[in-house]
């Protein structure tokens, strides 16, 4: 009776249990058979090799007479968690290494322009040009640092956005007015129709404007470098019961299909000289506003479409 109870208890244990007699398996509970295989009974197992042969199990053993009892705990989930944490640490290391490189490159540009500026052999007219270039490089560095800080704050859950009604028409009008000159210089037609004055979404104005400015700026930039065909960026709207969709379509250079899944990763850029932070940060900001973003492209020279969705104000969940 006692042996039967003991046997049942071993079967119910949430650990692997092997009982060896002179290295031969005489008993294996259900957990052991499920983890190591059902053909254990009668097999020869060397106790000292048990750990190396089953690295996902942590073993402890003790002797009872001529028998050796081996109890094992499945630690595969712990190893998986360790691997996940190592992966996260490696991603952070790569992130900060790349960020440091980008900051150093921007700072070196400024130092280079200033070094030429103080050179006594440089003429005054050239100094004015160098000062302007140094100023532009400083602005890019400032924008990069701000993007980095915001991205890290969002990743760490330290950045919150206000949730307020925002009228799309007035915000887009302000953004388009700022970008009209840029589009004109790049020979790109920018088409943004007016929308109803009362078309309102929920979010934070600063975050919304930052996202839209980045998306439109990218669309103009990657359309302007197209060698042939029309150069146009079009914005359209779609009203839904729960939200409002904004679609930005350009006729630019497009994106290779294999690159689409990685566009929202930081420092993954599909343009020379780009940091790849703009889209990554835009996605984070949209998610904080409980919105969505998706990018589609049929391939090289076939344009790009960015679809954004925002919650509609005045709609109860």
């Amino acid at each position: 009776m006692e042996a039967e109870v003991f046997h049942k208890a071993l079967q119910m244990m949430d650990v692997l249990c092997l009982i060896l007699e002179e290295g031969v398996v005489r008993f294996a509970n259900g957990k052991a058979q499920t983890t190591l295989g059902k053909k254990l009974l009668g097999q020869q197992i060397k106790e000292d090799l048990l750990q190396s042969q089953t690295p996902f199990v942590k073993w402890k053993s003790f002797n009872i007479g001529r028998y050796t009892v081996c109890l094992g705990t499945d630690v595969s989930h712990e190893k998986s968690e360790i691997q996940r944490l190592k992966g996260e640490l490696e991603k952070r290391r790569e992130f900060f290494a790349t960020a440091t490189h980008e900051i150093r490159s921007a700072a070196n540009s400024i130092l280079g322009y200033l070094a030429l500026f103080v050179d006594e052999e440089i003429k005054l007219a050239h100094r004015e040009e160098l000062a302007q270039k140094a100023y532009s490089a400083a602005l890019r560095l400032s924008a990069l640092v701000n993007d980095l800080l915001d991205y890290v704050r969002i990743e760490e859950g330290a950045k919150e956005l206000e949730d307020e009604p925002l009228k799309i028409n007035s915000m887009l009008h302000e953004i388009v007015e700022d970008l009209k000159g840029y589009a004109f210089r790049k020979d790109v037609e920018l088409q943004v129709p007016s929308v109803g004055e009362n078309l309102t979404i929920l979010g934070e104005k600063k975050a919304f404007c930052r996202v839209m400015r980045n998306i439109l700026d990218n669309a103009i930039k990657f359309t302007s470098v197209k060698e042939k065909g029309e150069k146009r960026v079009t914005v359209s709207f779609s009203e839904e019961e729960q939200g409002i969709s904004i679609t930005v379509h350009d006729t630019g250079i497009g994106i290779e299909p294999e690159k689409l899944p990685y566009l929202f990763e930081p420092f993954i850029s599909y343009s020379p000289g780009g940091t790849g932070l703009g889209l990554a940060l835009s996605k984070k900001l949209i998610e904080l506003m409980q919105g969505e973003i998706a990018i589609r492209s049929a391939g090289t020279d076939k344009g790009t479409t960015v679809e954004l969705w925002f919650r509609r104000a005045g709609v109860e969940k």
Side-chain angles (χ1 to χ4, degrees), residues 298-312:
T300 305
D301 291 328
K302 295 183 179 179
T304 302
T305 299
V306 181
E307 297 176 335
L308 306 105
W309 183 89
F310 298 93
R311 292 172 298 145
R312 191 167 187 167

Side-chain angles (χ1 to χ4, degrees), residues 219-267:
I220 295 169
K221 177 167 59 178
F222 296 123
T223 301
S224 68
V225 295
K226 186 178 181 180
E227 295 181 357
K228 297 180 181 180
E230 60 180 353
K231 298 181 180 182
R232 186 175 66 249
V233 174
T234 306
V235 180
S236 59
F237 307 90
S238 175
E239 298 183 49
E240 304 170 11
E241 184 178 351
Q242 297 293 326
I244 295 172
S245 295
I246 302 176
T247 302
V248 178
H249 175 74
D250 67 63
T251 60
I253 58 175
I255 306 169
E256 297 170 13
E258 60 269 21
K259 293 182 179 179
L260 288 172
Y262 307 103
L263 292 180
F264 296 115
E265 292 292 324
F267 299 114

Side-chain angles (χ1 to χ4, degrees), residues 1-8:
M1 181 66 179
E2 290 180 357
E4 183 180 349
V5 172
F6 179 67
H7 184 273
K8 287 184 177 180

Side-chain angles (χ1 to χ4, degrees), residues 81-97:
E81 180 65 12
I82 290 172
Q83 288 300 115
R84 186 190 69 80
L85 291 174
K86 284 183 177 179
E88 288 294 322
L89 287 173
E90 181 62 20
K91 283 181 66 177
R92 283 180 174 268
R93 188 195 67 78
E94 291 178 359
F95 177 89
F96 286 111

Side-chain angles (χ1 to χ4, degrees), residues 95-299:
F95 177 89
F96 286 111
T98 308
T100 302
H101 170 75
E102 294 291 343
I103 292 172
R104 186 188 297 117
S105 297
N108 285 339
S109 294
I110 298 171
L111 291 173
Y113 291 133
L114 293 179
L116 290 172
F117 182 85
V118 298
D119 190 332
E120 294 180 356
E121 296 183 4
I122 299 296
K123 295 180 180 180
L124 180 60
H126 289 163
R127 287 184 180 180
E128 292 178 358
E129 180 184 353
L130 289 169
Q132 183 59 48
K133 288 182 177 179
Y135 177 69
S136 297
L139 289 178
R140 289 194 297 272
L141 176 58
S142 176
L144 172 61
V145 171
N146 286 334
D147 284 350
L148 280 169
L149 289 174
D150 280 342
Y151 186 86
V152 171
R153 288 193 192 106
I154 294 173
E155 280 283 277
E156 295 179 349
K159 186 176 179 65
E160 296 182 357
L161 300 182
E162 295 180 6
D163 201 27
E164 56 186 351
L166 305 172
K167 291 188 176 181
I168 291 179
N169 197 51
S170 59
M171 292 187 297
L172 276 181
H173 177 75
E174 181 181 328
I175 296 169
V176 170
E177 284 300 311
D178 289 343
L179 291 174
K180 269 185 178 179
Y182 176 56
F184 179 78
R185 292 194 304 274
K186 294 292 186 179
D187 194 29
V188 174
E189 181 184 0
L190 182 57
Q191 295 182 345
V192 184
S194 296
V195 295
E197 287 291 334
N198 296 322
L199 198 60
T200 309
I201 63 171
L202 287 174
E204 183 183 89
K205 180 178 180 180
K206 184 179 178 181
F208 175 85
C209 291
R210 194 171 184 178
V211 169
M212 290 306 304
R213 195 180 301 274
N214 179 65
I215 299 300
L216 288 170
D217 184 271
N218 279 347
I220 295 169
K221 177 167 59 178
F222 296 123
T223 301
S224 68
V225 295
K226 186 178 181 180
E227 295 181 357
K228 297 180 181 180
E230 60 180 353
K231 298 181 180 182
R232 186 175 66 249
V233 174
T234 306
V235 180
S236 59
F237 307 90
S238 175
E239 298 183 49
E240 304 170 11
E241 184 178 351
Q242 297 293 326
I244 295 172
S245 295
I246 302 176
T247 302
V248 178
H249 175 74
D250 67 63
T251 60
I253 58 175
I255 306 169
E256 297 170 13
E258 60 269 21
K259 293 182 179 179
L260 288 172
Y262 307 103
L263 292 180
F264 296 115
E265 292 292 324
F267 299 114
I268 302 295
S269 175
Y270 58 96
S271 67
T275 64
L277 261 183
L279 283 176
L281 182 58
S282 293
K283 187 174 190 295
K284 294 290 184 183
L285 290 172
I286 288 175
E287 288 174 346
L288 280 179
M289 291 188 284
Q290 300 177 46
E292 298 174 7
I293 181 172
I295 298 179
R296 294 184 287 106
S297 178

